[in-house]
Amino acid sequence: MSYSIGEFARLCGIPATTLRAWQSRYGLLKPMRTEGGHRVYSDDDVQQALKILDWVKKGVPVSQVKPLLARPGSRQANNWLTLQQTMLQHLKEGKIESLRQLIYNSGREYPRSELVHEVLRPLRGLVSANVAAMMTLREILDGIIISYTAFCLEGDRKAPGEPYLLTGWHLNDPCEIWLEALLRTGQGQRIDILPSPPAMLAPEIFPQRKWLLVTSGKLTAARKKQITQWQQVVSLDVITL
């Protein structure tokens, strides 16, 4: 079988921008080219991408994966903590542009779901203290996360995809809306965001859209009842943090 880069990205669950970086920057993938210059991937390429993804999920920097592919029994390192600490150092030293560039580069090199779960959420936890300095640093970090997520969402609009609306619902931390959106980019979804959880929500006014609600805490009986009522008129899923 042969696949376009869009089909290949969906098969592997990896954004096309990441696949291009793995090829052009690190030589990890070698797709064929059509006469028109378009990339064409094979089943062997799919298996190769999944092997790369396995190493990346363990925290191995993409730049160090190539020799490991020839030695699958190699020691599995973990680089997530190092990446977190580097970002934290940039943040504390006021190197905002360096931090921004590192996050953008990491989003190209790593699957975005791993970037969110293994780096960005833990990093936000490191600057969560209720003191002025930490709160200021966290707001700077959140601003970069929101900016990067918006950039990725805009890129998704250039390709076909299902329309989604994503918002918070009984959510204490509005930035989680953007993190949940970020980890879903590059997966064939065209997501629009309600950036702040509304006091009252009416999904039924957009019945043609699929809804994703991000919530925190336990789903009470009243909330479960409300979800059931909404699901009778719209396609709606709840993400509980």
Side-chain angles (χ1 to χ4, degrees):
M1 294 288 292
S2 60
Y3 311 99
S4 68
I5 190 166
E7 294 168 333
F8 184 48
R10 286 189 289 274
L11 277 172
C12 301
I14 303 168
T17 51
T18 300
L19 293 171
R20 292 189 188 99
W22 286 0
Q23 176 192 344
S24 60
R25 297 183 66 179
Y26 304 108
L28 294 172
L29 295 168
K30 297 180 180 179
M32 301 292 288
R33 295 273 186 171
T34 66
E35 291 183 0
H38 298 291
R39 295 175 177 86
V40 177
Y41 296 86
S42 67
D43 287 325
D44 288 341
D45 291 321
V46 173
Q47 294 304 312
Q48 178 81 337
L50 294 177
K51 290 176 184 177
I52 297 166
L53 182 61
D54 184 55
W55 283 109
V56 168
K57 284 184 174 181
K58 296 181 175 85
V60 177
V62 181
S63 59
Q64 298 176 18
V65 166
K66 193 170 185 178
L68 296 175
L69 294 173
R71 297 181 283 112
S74 299
R75 177 178 175 272
Q76 298 174 359
N78 190 315
N79 192 56
W80 298 128
L81 183 59
T82 300
L83 190 54
Q84 290 173 31
Q85 292 298 327
T86 302
M87 289 183 181
L88 180 62
Q89 192 69 21
H90 286 335
L91 185 60
K92 287 183 174 180
E93 293 176 358
K95 297 178 179 178
I96 297 175
E97 288 307 316
S98 296
L99 174 61
R100 187 191 314 276
Q101 193 61 55
L102 182 55
I103 289 175
Y104 275 58
N105 288 342
S106 297
R108 286 194 294 268
E109 297 174 4
Y110 297 100
R112 289 171 191 156
S113 60
E114 306 302 315
L115 179 63
V116 169
H117 292 308
E118 303 291 350
V119 181
L120 296 180
R121 278 183 173 145
L123 178 59
R124 293 183 77 238
L126 296 174
V127 287
S128 62
N130 193 25
V131 296
M134 286 298 181
M135 292 174 71
T136 301
L137 292 179
R138 180 150 168 168
E139 288 302 314
I140 291 172
L141 174 61
D142 286 355
I144 296 173
I145 290 172
I146 291 169
S147 176
Y148 178 55
T149 302
F151 170 79
C152 294
L153 292 173
E154 192 61 33
D156 282 352
R157 301 187 199 288
K158 299 175 183 177
E162 292 187 273
Y164 281 81
L165 282 167
L166 189 152
T167 187
W169 185 57
H170 297 285
L171 182 67
N172 298 326
D173 184 355
C175 191
E176 284 293 343
I177 297 171
W178 295 91
L179 289 170
E180 286 295 327
L182 178 58
L183 64 84
R184 286 168 171 76
T185 56
Q187 299 181 29
Q189 299 175 356
R190 299 175 62 142
I191 298 173
D192 286 295
I193 289 181
L194 282 67
S196 298
M200 298 181 68
L201 189 63
E204 65 274 9
I205 68 173
F206 291 109
Q208 75 281 12
R209 295 289 190 101
K210 293 185 177 182
W211 283 80
L212 295 170
L213 304 187
V214 184
T215 189
S216 53
K218 183 178 180 180
L219 288 177
T220 63
R223 293 184 194 179
K224 290 179 180 178
K225 181 179 179 180
Q226 179 64 81
I227 291 167
T228 300
Q229 291 174 350
W230 282 333
Q231 289 175 332
Q232 291 173 355
V233 292
V234 298
S235 174
L236 180 146
D237 290 318
V238 177
I239 304 151
T240 304
L241 302 176

